[in-house]
Amino acid sequence: MSFFCFAQQSDAQVAIQNYSVFIGKASFAKSDFILLRKFRQQGKTKFLAVDVNKLNTTILDSANVKFSSSYWQQLKYTYPNTPFIKALIDVENQSFLIQDAGITHGYPAEKGITLTVDLCPSHKPLDRSIFNALVSSFANIEKPVPIGLSIAGKFLLQHENDIQWINELQQKQLIKVTWINHTYSHYYDPKVPLTENFLLKPGTNIHNEVLKLEQLLLEKGMIPSIFFRFPGLVSDSAIVKQITTLGLLPIGSDAWLAKGNQPKNGSIVLIHGNGNEPVGVKDFLNLIKNKSQLVQSRQWLMFDLSSSVKGEF
């Protein structure tokens, strides 16, 4: 369908120009979209847009859809009962938390969890055992298996072979990835207190950290979602506001396995797949092993992040 320009997984990089924030709205095929970004690619003006009801993102070609610019207060008035606007307002109302601000729990219709894997900058290779275990455990139950990958720009650039391998799993319809923005740089200094660490480092340009990663993903044929994970899960109310003004929903976790949290039905589970958290990975592998009988009877499943959050709102 020419109205939508879905990005395809590809090794070839397609350059993007003039990538910028553009807040607007558009409708097509009885679906309402909020426009978040505007850019030029291959001679065409395109938008990164979110379906306000389904929470999935897509690329719209400006030549094929009717659109108009807008602003957040107007959009909140126009789409007050949609999952996207409800979630955005909910996040803003709890932005005072310095750790784990954002959505920490989903609401699946059945028993199971939403898995999110953080890919922070690391010189170690991707822990592929996570993906292999998902495919082998759920291939006959859920195909593709949904997974949220919270990726930093520096990991993406330093692990091109790993990313290619992930994209090949997607092409084979073995997994379905939701790309979560984890900032471009993911600054961290273990000697610095939380109040001045991660994105709270003085002088950090939040817009650059977010947009630079989005553009990089798009140029590599990977569509960014509307979800954002704070590095270290650390933030403050001002930064949360900046993130929601960009149209992104911060995702926390109520089950960071390496910290001993026990997942419950609907939990947004957090593990690290960058080789730096073997304990969390081991706990996850044990978890799905222990749930194998429930998995086979479809009583314990993996849930797509968009669907899980949509159900909560």
Side-chain angles (χ1 to χ4, degrees):
M1 297 172 63
S2 61
F3 288 90
F4 293 89
C5 177
F6 289 101
Q8 300 295 317
Q9 305 298 343
S10 172
D11 295 333
Q13 183 158 314
V14 183
I16 285 174
Q17 296 85 33
N18 305 325
Y19 193 78
S20 61
V21 176
F22 180 91
I23 305 303
K25 58 183 179 178
S27 297
F28 175 72
K30 298 182 180 180
S31 293
D32 293 318
F33 294 90
I34 287 179
L35 310 178
L36 302 176
R37 311 286 184 263
K38 183 179 181 181
F39 58 95
R40 294 280 296 175
Q41 188 176 40
Q42 295 181 309
K44 298 180 179 180
T45 297
K46 302 177 182 181
F47 299 106
L48 175 65
V50 57
D51 185 315
V52 294
N53 290 299
K54 296 179 181 178
L55 303 187
N56 60 290
T57 50
T58 190
I59 307 302
L60 301 179
D61 189 324
S62 65
N64 296 326
V65 295
K66 291 184 178 180
F67 65 91
S68 61
S69 61
S70 188
Y71 53 93
W72 284 114
Q73 201 58 39
Q74 184 182 58
L75 293 172
K76 289 175 181 178
Y77 178 80
T78 304
Y79 307 112
N81 297 316
T82 62
F84 178 65
I85 292 300
K86 285 183 176 180
L88 205 66
I89 292 173
D90 182 77
V91 167
E92 291 174 348
N93 289 341
Q94 53 144 329
S95 63
F96 56 88
L97 297 174
I98 190 171
Q99 283 196 284
D100 219 12
I103 300 166
T104 60
H105 194 88
Y107 189 74
E110 301 179 66
K111 295 179 181 179
I113 61 171
T114 298
L115 177 65
T116 60
V117 180
D118 281 14
L119 301 178
C120 316
S122 171
H123 294 295
K124 297 178 181 178
L126 175 76
D127 196 327
R128 299 190 180 191
S129 65
I130 301 167
F131 302 84
N132 291 328
L134 283 175
V135 171
S136 62
S137 299
F138 292 89
N140 296 324
I141 308 299
E142 296 181 88
K143 190 177 181 180
V145 186
I147 181 173
L149 296 183
S150 172
I151 191 166
K154 289 186 175 180
F155 184 94
L156 178 57
L157 292 173
Q158 294 170 353
H159 296 76
E160 292 186 357
N161 289 338
D162 287 326
I163 300 304
Q164 181 179 345
W165 181 74
I166 290 172
N167 287 335
E168 288 172 354
L169 292 180
Q170 286 210 91
Q171 291 169 359
K172 295 175 183 177
Q173 295 290 303
L174 296 174
I175 63 172
K176 177 188 176 185
V177 176
T178 298
W179 294 107
I180 303 167
N181 195 311
H182 204 34
T183 74
Y184 181 83
S185 302
H186 192 296
Y187 169 82
Y188 172 63
D189 186 338
K191 301 184 294 294
V192 175
L194 287 184
T195 52
E196 296 181 0
N197 217 333
F198 298 107
L199 287 184
L200 298 181
K201 176 188 178 183
T204 299
N205 188 318
I206 304 298
H207 279 219
N208 281 354
E209 287 289 335
V210 170
L211 299 188
K212 193 173 181 179
L213 175 58
E214 288 179 352
Q215 180 171 337
L216 179 61
L217 287 169
L218 287 167
E219 287 180 337
K220 291 184 176 295
M222 300 145 68
I223 300 182
S225 72
I226 50 156
F227 301 111
F228 179 90
R229 173 159 281 158
F230 288 106
L233 296 183
V234 172
S235 63
D236 63 16
S237 58
I239 291 181
V240 171
K241 182 64 176 177
Q242 288 187 66
I243 294 300
T244 57
T245 299
L246 289 170
L248 303 183
L249 298 176
I251 295 294
S253 171
D254 62 349
W256 188 338
L257 296 190
K259 292 195 172 184
N261 302 146
Q262 296 301 311
K264 304 177 288 291
N265 289 325
S267 283
I268 295 178
V269 171
L270 167 59
I271 59 176
H272 282 72
N274 62 349
N276 289 338
E277 195 183 73
V279 172
V281 173
K282 181 180 178 181
D283 287 347
F284 175 71
L285 298 179
N286 287 334
L287 176 65
I288 59 176
K289 182 179 179 180
N290 293 335
K291 298 287 187 180
S292 59
Q293 290 187 348
L294 292 175
V295 170
Q296 293 305 312
S297 61
R298 299 178 183 273
Q299 296 300 307
W300 197 83
L301 301 171
M302 293 289 153
F303 290 93
D304 173 75
L305 184 56
S306 293
S307 299
S308 183
V309 172
K310 179 180 67 176
E312 182 73 357
F313 295 96

